[in-house]
Amino acid sequence: MNGIRFRLNGKDTCYEGSAADRLLDVLRDEYDMKSVKCGCKEGECGACAVLIDGVLINSCCVAMGAVDSHEILTVEGYRETARFEALSKAFADLSAVQCGFCIPGMILAAEALLSKNAHPTEQEVRTALSGNICRCTGYNAIVNAVMNAAKEGDGLW
Amino acid sequence: MKEICRSVKKKDHDPKIEGRSVYVDDYNLSANGSKILCGRLLHSIYAKAKVLSVTVPELPEGYFWVDRNDVPGDNNVNIVLDDTPVFCRDTVEYIGESIGMIAGPDEKVVEELLKKVEVEYEELEPMLDLRNGKETFFDYHFGHGDVEKAFAEADKVYEEEFITGYQDQTYLEPQGMMAEPEEDGRMFVHGSLQCPYYVHGAVARALGTGPEGVHILQDVTGGGFGGKEDYPSILGCQVAVAAKKSGQPVRCVYHRREDLEFTPKRHPSLCKYKLAVKDGRVTAVDADIRFDAGAYSTLSAVVLQRGIIAAPGIYNIPNVNVTGKAVKTNTAPCGAYRGFGAPQTFFAIEMMMDHIAQDMGVDSIEFKQKHFVKQGDMTSTQGRYHFPVPIPAMLDEVDELCDLKRKHIEYSKPQSGRYRRGIGFSSIFHGAGFTGSGERDIIKATAKLRKYADGTVEVLASNGDIGQGVRTTFPKIVAHELNIPLEKVYYSHPDTARVPDSGPTVASRSLMTVGELLRRAAIKLRDIWEDGKEQEVEERYKQPDFMIPFYLDRFEGDAYPTYAWAVSAVEVEIDTYTGVVEILGAYGNFDVGTPVDYNIVVGQMEGGFLQGLGYASIEKMNYDAKGRIRNNSFTDYLVPTSMDVPNLVAKMHVEEYPGGPYGAKGAGELPLVAPPAAYLEAVEMALGGMKKHRLNAIPFSTEDVILELNKEVL
């Protein structure tokens, strides 16, 4: 029973590999969580962000040893929720998804914000998304989509 | 607004937001179920050197070394010319040039093996000087009128130099390509790319197979902005050669640092301008433009052409003389980036016009306005502006948005105190589609529609969705013309085995040019439509009759059928204690003709606008005395975040183009071009104007503000 035990998208999981392995690589290669994207592998772009116990963290900067007994959520798990539906609809209404590469990280950044602050101001949304680089949109559509999701999805968060 | 403008849910929305879209790095196995080898490149560490020997360590079973000796066909990548090698020749010409590749099952092992490859170099003196570089890939000259006479008769002659730096496309998904040998002997190459047929031609040549021996698929692509126009041809050849040698699928995905340091960027430029003024009007422009091409010519010919054609800006100047040079330096080859040469020259002419107005003591908005081109006027290449030029109306609309004209005068007055404000203004065109007669003579686009027995219709074209939305807008056009639900029409990522060559995904041409072919094809299909039957229609590009033929050897004629137009205003506040420039508001007014999907087009405008502001301010990249680019991570190369420009406004102004579908013109590149000059003019104004601080270089960062302010103290 030497493995690293954690919950991944609600399922008890035991990782038998090295504690020094990178969470990003393990999620993609071992558990096929391909929504988790690699944009820089040095904690700067947010494309690989996941939620660990509800906190937004770049998975490229996390060693597997650090996730022991924690709860990890990726878009593979989150996409089954009503909150995701509300965000997805809001993003669709504003065509806020262009190339799509930053989007799973953006969605989780939005969840991290809304779960703590269900009615954020625009400034709070911009702050919450500031660790996630999007090169396509100029951010307006994404920020407005998160604001709209908060409004339309009232009660979900 | 027309029905076609109404926004729809993007066809790739669900798979992308759900994380189900498969980008090239997301394949676990190849199409036939084999394991994929990881390929990593050995890059040159010198900017110029002879490669005397390469000693490869003994490789474990299943690992392969690949270099130019393994290229079965031609070791030259087919781009515009063919001077770029697949793997280096006897010399390396820039830091990062590919010497060879190791491919094998385990990435960590591949990385370890790469470190053990010994390269014996004889270091040579690199050329790293854009100003004095003698070797040019391209040297163009054109003009009209009598420039000498105009200068001789001028009341005053103005001369100034302008410098622009690198800009990296910084698509969020790094470059990545994969090659799979197929059972029938063909090579299947796919990945993150903009132009499947460019890659097709290049790989067929490198493998020596002829066009039928390969096929190329565009995978879901995480952004391009021009950066995936030429480079995938090079990387595609490299993985194809590795797959050929190993007989197995090989994938190479770049790390971010490799991508920032070694792949194409916007050309740095040095523009020397000389303008003659007589009776308050500019009578002549003499522009000497140098672009830093890097070590190989790649796309520099066409980037430079677009740049120099825009040299006089949107101004009616009767006497024009322009020279343009693409200078070879021993640095990573520069390539395509949204705007394609035009941002550099528009920055220069816009700043120049502003500086002349300041010298004359007149407001630069009024001064520029006096010179705006109008419908029917001659272009810089003696073509015509065939359609209305909406710039004056667009300027008024921007004025309404942000009180531009009043602030422009007010902020020009002397300011004191810690915080000082400025507002800048710039207006530009973007020539829609390919430069010159490339569309007619080189591309010869063909697009098809295939209707299946069940009534669904597939779009067959080679333009890749790189985020700009053609998987949605192409079907929208077809569904509209056929009067069937949008769900019945679809457009998959193109595979050259099944789609005709409708040209590359470049030059803001996809929607305007290929979209129009699809509209006409849909009308054809509508006319012959028979329920329950499989049917196919085809449409080919025809050059519009009104165009004045363009001759590249003389730079004469219509370089573009029509133009998209943009007006930008940027308002800033400078903290003179810290040097921080806060953008209070960025206002853009864009005419791309009819927006074929309002949200998609506004998304393009906002995204390009912010890239333009980044280019002007924080996106700094340069090489050192050894030719090494130091800004190779997101820590050292900053791109804007959601916090940087919260008040960014994009407004649409519609001047329909009869040659585009429903009046649409080229869109994607337009929004990046005007912001840099607007930004720098605003900063200069806040610092007290040209007479205190003459600014003529971008990017202009916080550090640069501090340096300027220090001049006041010393």
Side-chain angles (χ1 to χ4, degrees):
Chain A
M1 292 299 176
N2 289 328
I4 296 160
R5 296 180 170 279
F6 61 103
R7 281 174 74 81
L8 176 56
N9 293 327
K11 285 198 192 99
D12 286 324
T13 307
C14 182
Y15 180 64
E16 303 287 350
S18 164
D21 286 348
R22 200 188 287 264
L23 176 59
L24 165 63
D25 298 336
V26 172
L27 286 173
R28 284 181 57 83
D29 300 340
E30 197 75 22
Y31 301 110
D32 205 24
M33 299 288 156
K34 294 294 202 289
S35 77
V36 186
K37 300 298 182 199
C38 177
C40 70
K41 234 177 194 182
E42 45 192 48
E44 294 283 357
C45 78
C48 68
V50 299
L51 297 183
I52 302 182
D53 301 336
V55 179
L56 188 73
I57 291 177
N58 290 325
S59 63
C60 67
C61 292
V62 176
M64 283 307 294
V67 305
D68 193 273
S69 74
H70 291 285
E71 170 121 25
I72 295 175
L73 184 69
T74 72
V75 163
E76 280 81 356
Y78 188 57
R79 70 192 177 201
E80 311 298 332
T81 65
R83 289 176 172 187
F84 172 83
E85 279 306 313
L87 279 167
S88 178
K89 181 172 185 311
F91 273 61
D93 287 345
L94 294 179
S95 304
V97 178
Q98 290 193 27
C99 88
F101 207 74
C102 74
I103 292 297
M106 282 287 181
I107 289 292
L108 293 176
E111 164 62 21
L113 168 69
L114 295 176
S115 62
K116 304 223 162 22
N117 176 1
H119 301 286
T121 63
E122 184 188 325
Q123 183 58 36
E124 286 167 337
V125 173
R126 287 188 177 271
T127 305
L129 303 181
S130 64
N132 295 69
I133 294 174
C134 165
R135 190 61 157 166
C136 293
T137 62
Y139 302 102
N140 280 4
I142 291 176
V143 170
N144 291 333
V146 174
M147 300 286 289
N148 290 347
K151 210 184 310 164
E152 299 295 321
D154 199 18
L156 286 172
W157 281 279
Chain B
M1 221 166 19
K2 287 182 173 174
E3 173 64 22
I4 195 81
C5 304
R6 189 183 299 176
S7 298
V8 298
K9 182 177 173 180
K10 286 182 77 183
K11 290 222 173 213
D12 54 356
H13 173 84
D14 285 338
K16 280 180 170 170
I17 202 163
E18 290 168 5
R20 296 183 207 269
S21 288
V22 180
Y23 299 78
V24 66
D25 200 23
D26 297 339
Y27 292 97
N28 288 324
L29 296 169
S30 75
N32 67 7
S34 329
K35 282 200 170 155
I36 304 162
L37 301 186
C38 166
R40 301 279 303 144
L41 288 157
L42 181 73
H43 300 287
S44 162
I45 60 167
Y46 292 115
K48 189 168 176 67
K50 272 189 198 159
V51 178
L52 301 176
S53 68
V54 178
T55 311
V56 181
E58 197 173 323
L59 299 176
E61 202 188 329
Y63 288 80
F64 300 86
W65 165 259
V66 186
D67 65 15
R68 62 177 162 147
N69 300 312
D70 300 301
V71 178
D74 186 350
N75 188 41
N76 300 306
V77 184
N78 184 224
I79 302 178
V80 174
L81 302 179
D82 52 11
D83 57 324
T84 309
V86 178
F87 292 106
C88 80
R89 305 186 185 99
D90 296 331
T91 64
V92 283
E93 300 289 325
Y94 67 97
I95 291 177
E97 182 164 356
S98 302
I99 296 169
M101 175 187 275
I102 290 182
D106 186 327
E107 179 171 2
K108 283 180 187 145
V109 175
V110 169
E111 294 281 358
E112 284 308 307
L113 291 168
L114 268 182
K115 286 182 200 155
K116 292 181 186 149
V117 179
E118 285 176 24
V119 184
E120 199 186 339
Y121 297 96
E122 180 189 328
E123 214 180 329
L124 302 170
E125 192 59 38
M127 165 49 71
L128 297 167
D129 185 351
L130 171 62
R131 183 181 294 273
N132 299 309
K134 294 275 184 291
E135 193 177 346
T136 56
F137 290 118
F138 307 99
D139 194 340
Y140 298 129
H141 173 248
F142 69 90
H144 57 82
D146 192 339
V147 175
E148 265 179 46
K149 184 162 175 268
F151 279 110
E153 292 173 355
D155 297 333
K156 192 161 179 181
V157 174
Y158 293 87
E159 287 185 72
E160 192 164 356
E161 274 187 18
F162 300 91
I163 291 170
T164 63
Y166 276 125
Q167 186 181 22
D168 187 83
Q169 297 86 356
T170 318
Y171 29 71
L172 253 279
E173 180 205 23
Q175 303 271 358
M177 293 292 289
M178 178 162 152
E180 310 183 15
E182 293 186 327
E183 277 168 23
D184 62 6
R186 286 194 303 177
M187 187 62 74
F188 174 37
V189 177
H190 57 97
S192 188
L193 57 94
Q194 294 180 210
C195 313
Y197 271 97
Y198 281 3
V199 181
H200 192 111
V203 174
R205 182 164 168 175
L207 295 184
T209 60
E212 62 292 336
V214 304
H215 67 111
I216 315 297
L217 166 76
Q218 185 217 13
D219 285 316
V220 179
T221 295
F225 315 114
K228 292 168 184 170
E229 176 173 345
D230 62 356
Y231 209 72
S233 295
I234 303 169
L235 193 54
C237 287
Q238 291 165 340
V239 290
V241 171
K244 182 80 185 167
K245 181 171 185 178
S246 64
Q248 296 174 63
V250 176
R251 169 171 56 199
C252 179
V253 176
Y254 265 36
H255 294 176
R256 178 59 65 182
R257 287 184 180 231
E258 278 179 301
D259 196 304
L260 281 169
E261 197 175 339
F262 307 145
T263 71
K265 290 158 252 302
R266 188 184 306 291
H267 293 67
S269 74
L270 170 66
C271 296
K272 296 181 195 175
Y273 270 67
K274 191 171 147 189
L275 268 66
V277 175
K278 173 120 182 121
D279 301 330
R281 277 196 74 94
V282 177
T283 53
V285 56
D286 187 341
D288 174 7
I289 290 150
R290 295 171 80 86
F291 280 5
D292 187 340
Y296 296 108
S297 69
T298 61
L299 293 164
S300 288
V302 269
V303 172
L304 182 63
Q305 288 163 20
R306 189 178 277 274
I308 61 177
I309 287 168
I314 64 164
Y315 304 114
N316 190 345
I317 303 175
N319 303 291
V320 171
N321 186 45
V322 180
T323 57
K325 292 184 173 68
V327 179
K328 175 176 174 167
T329 61
N330 290 105
T331 58
C334 286
Y337 185 173
R338 200 175 205 167
F340 210 69
Q344 292 92 321
T345 47
F346 271 115
F347 167 73
I349 186 69
E350 286 296 284
M351 291 306 296
M352 187 84 195
M353 292 293 280
D354 181 61
H355 286 171
I356 292 173
Q358 286 188 56
D359 182 74
M360 292 168 60
V362 297
D363 184 73
S364 67
I365 297 177
E366 273 179 40
F367 182 68
K368 288 177 176 178
Q369 209 165 356
K370 248 168 67 174
H371 294 83
F372 285 157
V373 292
K374 300 183 301 297
Q375 182 177 17
D377 283 355
M378 195 164 78
T379 67
S380 72
T381 57
Q382 303 177 62
R384 288 288 177 278
Y385 293 100
H386 294 280
F387 301 99
V389 176
I391 288 283
M394 292 170 72
L395 169 59
D396 288 343
E397 287 159 12
V398 169
D399 186 42
E400 277 169 37
L401 271 179
C402 65
D403 202 7
L404 168 67
K405 291 174 184 173
R406 184 188 64 77
K407 287 177 179 168
H408 200 259
I409 291 167
E410 188 191 318
Y411 296 162
S412 294
K413 293 172 188 161
Q415 297 179 50
S416 58
R418 176 173 173 178
Y419 298 98
R420 298 173 201 175
R421 289 189 175 188
I423 193 163
F425 154 77
S426 174
S427 47
I428 57 98
F429 63 66
H430 195 76
F434 263 93
T435 298
S437 46
E439 201 70 65
R440 182 193 63 190
D441 298 341
I442 301 166
I443 302 301
K444 300 174 184 161
T446 303
K448 288 183 184 176
L449 294 175
R450 186 176 296 152
K451 167 174 141 330
Y452 295 95
D454 66 359
T456 57
V457 176
E458 181 178 9
V459 174
L460 297 171
S462 61
N463 304 92
D465 197 316
I466 51 177
Q468 89 285 41
V470 291
R471 288 192 69 190
T472 304
T473 48
F474 280 4
K476 231 180 135 175
I477 289 170
V478 173
H480 181 81
E481 244 9 278
L482 291 171
N483 200 22
I484 59 176
L486 184 56
E487 298 72 50
K488 294 270 190 193
V489 186
Y490 66 97
Y491 180 38
S492 303
H493 283 278
D495 181 335
T496 57
R498 28 189 333 271
V499 303
D501 187 355
S502 62
T505 314
V506 303
S508 308
R509 67 181 284 280
S510 298
L511 197 281
M512 179 182 84
T513 304
V514 183
E516 173 62 11
L517 295 186
L518 292 170
R519 190 187 70 85
R520 297 204 313 247
I523 292 169
K524 260 191 195 169
L525 179 60
R526 190 176 66 202
D527 290 344
I528 60 162
W529 184 285
E530 283 181 54
D531 282 335
K533 198 173 157 191
E534 196 161 312
Q535 292 173 294
E536 194 171 280
V537 291
E538 182 182 285
E539 197 65 35
R540 287 169 186 275
Y541 177 79
K542 290 183 211 71
Q543 184 158 295
D545 294 336
F546 64 80
M547 277 184 81
I548 302 168
F550 186 81
Y551 298 96
L552 185 60
D553 54 340
R554 306 196 300 272
F555 278 81
E556 261 180 48
D558 278 329
Y560 308 98
T562 190
Y563 299 83
W565 302 91
V567 173
S568 292
V570 178
E571 185 176 7
V572 303
E573 182 173 84
I574 291 184
D575 181 340
T576 56
Y577 290 6
T578 63
V580 170
V581 180
E582 189 186 344
I583 296 178
L584 300 176
Y587 310 89
N589 196 358
F590 305 102
D591 164 34
V592 300
T594 304
V596 175
D597 197 292
Y598 185 78
N599 280 349
I600 286 178
V601 172
V602 169
Q604 287 294 298
M605 298 304 112
E606 292 174 343
F609 198 173
L610 191 59
Q611 288 183 5
L613 292 168
Y615 179 39
S617 58
I618 58 173
E619 297 188 28
K620 201 160 215 170
M621 179 178 274
N622 212 341
Y623 48 79
D624 64 15
K626 290 279 191 188
R628 176 176 293 282
I629 286 174
R630 308 310 303 240
N631 319 70
N632 66 352
S633 75
F634 285 152
T635 315
D636 295 316
Y637 184 72
L638 305 178
V639 296
T641 71
S642 53
M643 303 283 279
D644 287 312
V645 192
N647 183 24
L648 181 143
V649 182
K651 183 178 163 45
M652 304 308 302
H653 180 104
V654 179
E655 186 65 52
E656 294 183 9
Y657 167 52
Y662 316 104
K665 301 191 272 200
E669 294 170 280
L670 178 78
L672 190 145
V673 186
Y679 177 84
L680 199 67
E681 191 202 331
V683 172
E684 185 183 84
M685 188 182 285
L687 288 171
M690 173 186 83
K691 282 168 187 156
K692 277 177 85 180
H693 297 280
R694 178 189 286 264
L695 307 186
N696 39 32
I698 53 165
F700 199 79
S701 64
T702 295
E703 290 82 352
D704 295 313
V705 175
I706 299 273
L707 287 172
E708 281 297 323
L709 288 168
N710 282 350
K711 287 182 190 167
E712 293 182 15
V713 182
L714 296 172

